């Protein structure tokens, strides 16, 4: 083991099972380790580096802002924060944005907004948020409680109360649970990411939207992993013809710097008032400058390109030897392999391709602008590793 790996093992908390690879540099979708070996990166930092590593436009935007003001408290106006909020609203039809630093924090903000909205409109007993079994919403105590997977809960009791879990795609069951618990909101991922890259059914999402509108329950969509072009639409809910009341996002939005956002729709745009919520770093000008460069480039041409690359990956993998099935949307792809996914990922690393796992699947979240040729070269490596 190299000296650096030994230091990391000794001093960094044991929360991550690292692969024996130190990444030292990269450009676009190719990264290099300490020995100079190159890898095609199909993980993009778990869906973060939307335009790849050290992408020129993002780098220019971030470094220009760094030389002006690297941070200013939210007591004062800064241009990137205001411009990004305006852009997010104009691209989504949402009305206001609260900036956080991560996906979990964005979800915390959304849950606070839903509770306050429902308490004010319907009474303090309307605090429950319905989430889905097999969902993932973060690792703070509240977002762990929102996460509908028991194994994440076990060691950290008691979690924040006020969450119940519905079966995905069971509209009648979800509605019954929401009514029974006087729900403030229903929080979903349109494609369950950590749960195994599983899209929800369109009729289910549309049914939830209709129920939420009819009974004034907030429809909240967690776009932390699915957002910012990942699924071939700017936000994944746009694939399903619904308009949520609250959208959360993070990961790809910042393009590599920590940034989360809670987008509030018309119903709840004023629900968070002075002093109700806050963040020292939320809306940091450098992070927002990077995000402006990311969001500004996710246009219809890029999204069409994401969909075309997705179709090429599905076509190459579906029915391939050693592949049971392929799931997902856009460039958020899960591969059920006959071999254990961890073994496939290990073999891919040896052959110079970095992939992720989600549950028992191999998961791909490449940069949105990965060249088709690079992507398909990596898919060939995955196919060979599946056999
Ligand atoms: N929500 C979803 C859907 C996620 O996939 C994740 C992270 O994987 C989170 C929330 C938590 O985001 P973060 O790790 O930035 O707190």
């Amino acid at each position: 083991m190299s000296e650096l790996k030994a230091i990391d093992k000794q001093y960094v908390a044991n929360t991550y099972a690292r692969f024996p690879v130190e990444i030292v540099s990269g450009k676009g979708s190719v990264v290099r380790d300490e020995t100079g070996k190159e890898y095609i990166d199909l993980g993009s930092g778990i869906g973060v580096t939307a335009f790849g590593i050290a992408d020129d436009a993002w780098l220019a935007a971030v470094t220009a802002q760094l030389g002006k003001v690297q941070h200013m408290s939210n007591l004062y106006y800064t241009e990137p924060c205001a411009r990004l909020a305006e852009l997010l609203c104009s691209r989504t039809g949402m009305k206001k944005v609260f900036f956080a630093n991560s996906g979990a924090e964005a979800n915390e903000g959304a849950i606070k907004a839903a509770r306050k909205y429902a308490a004010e409109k319907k009474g303090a007993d309307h605090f429950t948020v319905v989430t889905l079994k097999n969902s993932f919403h973060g690792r703070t105590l509240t977002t762990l409680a929102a996460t509908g997977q028991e194994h994440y809960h076990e060691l950290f009791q008691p979690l924040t109360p006020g969450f119940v879990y519905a079966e995905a795609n069971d509209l009648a069951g979800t509605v019954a649970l929401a009514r029974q618990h006087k729900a403030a909101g229903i929080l979903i991922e349109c494609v369950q990411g950590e749960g195994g890259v599983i899209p929800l059914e369109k009729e289910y999402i549309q049914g939830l939207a209709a129920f939420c509108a009819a009974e004034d329950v907030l429809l909240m969509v967690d776009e932390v992993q699915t957002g910012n072009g990942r699924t071939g639409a700017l936000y994944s809910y746009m694939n399903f013809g619904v308009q949520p009341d609250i959208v959360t996002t993070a990961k790809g939005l910042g393009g590599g710097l920590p940034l989360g956002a809670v987008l509030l729709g018309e119903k709840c745009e004023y629900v968070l008032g002075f002093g109700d919520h806050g963040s020292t770093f939320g809306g940091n000008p450098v992070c927002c400058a990077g995000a402006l460069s990311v969001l500004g480039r996710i246009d219809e041409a890029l999204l069409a390109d994401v969909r075309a690359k997705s179709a090429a990956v599905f076509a190459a993998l579906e029915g391939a030897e050693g592949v049971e099935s392929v799931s997902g949307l856009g460039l958020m792809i899960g591969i059920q392999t006959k071999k254990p996914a961890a073994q496939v990922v290990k073999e891919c690393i040896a052959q110079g391709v970095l992939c992720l796992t989600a549950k028992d699947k191999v998961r791909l979240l490449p940069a949105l602008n990965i060249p088709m040729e690079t992507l398909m070269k990596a898919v060939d490596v995955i196919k060979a590793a599946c056999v």
Side-chain angles (χ1 to χ4, degrees):
M1 189 186 292
S2 73
E3 193 205 356
L4 184 110
K5 288 172 193 160
I7 290 171
D8 188 288
K9 266 216 167 325
Q10 184 169 349
Y11 293 108
V12 176
N14 292 327
T15 52
Y16 307 107
R18 297 201 202 283
F19 293 105
V21 178
E22 179 197 341
I23 300 298
V24 295
S25 64
K27 192 77 189 164
S29 289
V30 176
V31 294
R32 237 159 270 110
D33 74 9
E34 76 278 21
T35 68
K37 177 177 169 181
E38 288 192 343
Y39 304 81
I40 298 174
D41 177 17
L42 299 186
S44 65
I46 317 192
V48 168
T49 47
F51 287 91
I53 301 291
D55 140 56
D56 290 335
W58 178 87
L59 198 58
V62 163
T63 48
Q65 183 58 43
L66 264 175
K68 292 183 193 162
V69 178
Q70 82 274 34
H71 175 79
M72 187 40 65
S73 87
N74 278 308
L75 297 173
Y76 308 100
Y77 296 97
T78 53
E79 184 172 1
C81 171
R83 297 254 181 246
L84 180 60
E86 179 190 37
L87 186 58
L88 280 165
C89 289
S90 71
R91 300 284 308 270
T92 60
M94 303 301 275
K95 298 295 178 196
K96 288 204 191 298
V97 182
F98 174 85
F99 287 113
N101 311 289
S102 64
E105 280 180 82
N107 285 332
E108 289 267 350
I111 292 160
K112 281 179 75 173
R115 282 194 168 176
K116 184 163 182 251
Y117 175 85
E120 285 174 352
K121 281 200 90 173
K122 297 183 177 176
D125 55 341
H126 284 69
F127 56 78
T128 298
V129 173
V130 179
T131 67
L132 301 186
K133 291 178 186 167
N134 198 44
S135 58
F136 186 85
H137 297 293
R139 295 193 182 255
T140 62
L141 285 176
T142 298
T143 56
L144 269 187
T147 292
Q149 301 191 54
E150 251 168 45
H151 71 99
Y152 284 112
H153 296 176
E154 277 157 13
L155 302 173
F156 304 105
Q157 298 294 329
L159 303 178
T160 306
F163 292 90
V164 293
Y165 313 105
E167 206 69 58
N169 300 318
D170 174 8
L171 183 60
T174 311
V175 165
L177 207 60
R179 288 191 179 130
Q180 181 194 340
H181 292 275
K182 300 181 175 173
I186 299 178
L187 174 63
I188 59 167
E189 299 154 89
C190 293
V191 183
Q192 294 189 328
E194 302 301 310
V197 199
I198 307 169
L200 298 182
E201 289 167 9
K202 189 169 188 176
E203 302 73 47
Y204 177 68
I205 295 175
Q206 292 188 338
L208 287 183
F211 163 74
C212 286
E215 304 205 9
D216 199 10
V217 172
L218 296 180
L219 178 64
M220 304 153 76
V221 181
D222 179 339
E223 296 272 6
V224 170
Q225 191 164 148
T226 52
N228 311 298
R230 175 59 51 195
T231 67
L234 181 58
Y235 291 99
S236 70
Y237 71 82
M238 295 170 174
N239 293 299
F240 297 91
V242 297
Q243 182 66 36
D245 299 302
I246 300 183
V247 172
T248 58
T249 191
K251 285 188 184 285
L253 178 64
L257 284 173
L259 183 65
V262 187
L263 280 56
L264 300 164
E266 199 157 17
K267 265 191 184 177
C268 48
E269 66 173 304
Y270 296 108
V271 74
L272 294 176
F274 293 124
D276 284 342
H277 201 34
S279 165
T280 297
F281 288 112
N284 169 279
V286 179
C287 301
C288 288
L292 274 166
S293 124
V294 169
L295 204 61
R297 283 180 284 160
I298 305 177
D299 56 14
E300 194 36 54
L302 181 93
L303 293 172
D305 206 37
V306 166
R307 295 192 293 268
K309 284 183 256 189
S310 173
V313 175
F314 271 80
L317 288 172
E318 275 177 331
E321 200 185 338
V323 173
E324 299 260 9
S325 60
V326 189
S327 64
L329 206 54
L331 287 176
M332 181 173 178
I333 296 171
I335 312 162
Q336 187 80 58
T337 50
K338 292 200 170 118
K339 279 187 189 171
Q343 195 186 327
V344 173
V345 168
K346 210 172 148 195
E347 287 177 29
C348 285
I349 291 178
Q351 299 307 317
V353 172
L354 303 181
C355 332
L356 304 164
T357 57
K359 288 239 165 120
D360 56 350
K361 292 182 183 171
V362 175
R363 175 175 42 158
L364 314 181
L365 297 172
L368 305 179
N369 66 341
I370 186 171
M372 182 71 98
E373 202 189 329
T374 310
L375 178 62
M376 297 321 286
K377 195 170 144 194
V379 167
D380 282 343
V381 170
I382 295 171
K383 277 170 78 171
C386 286
V387 176

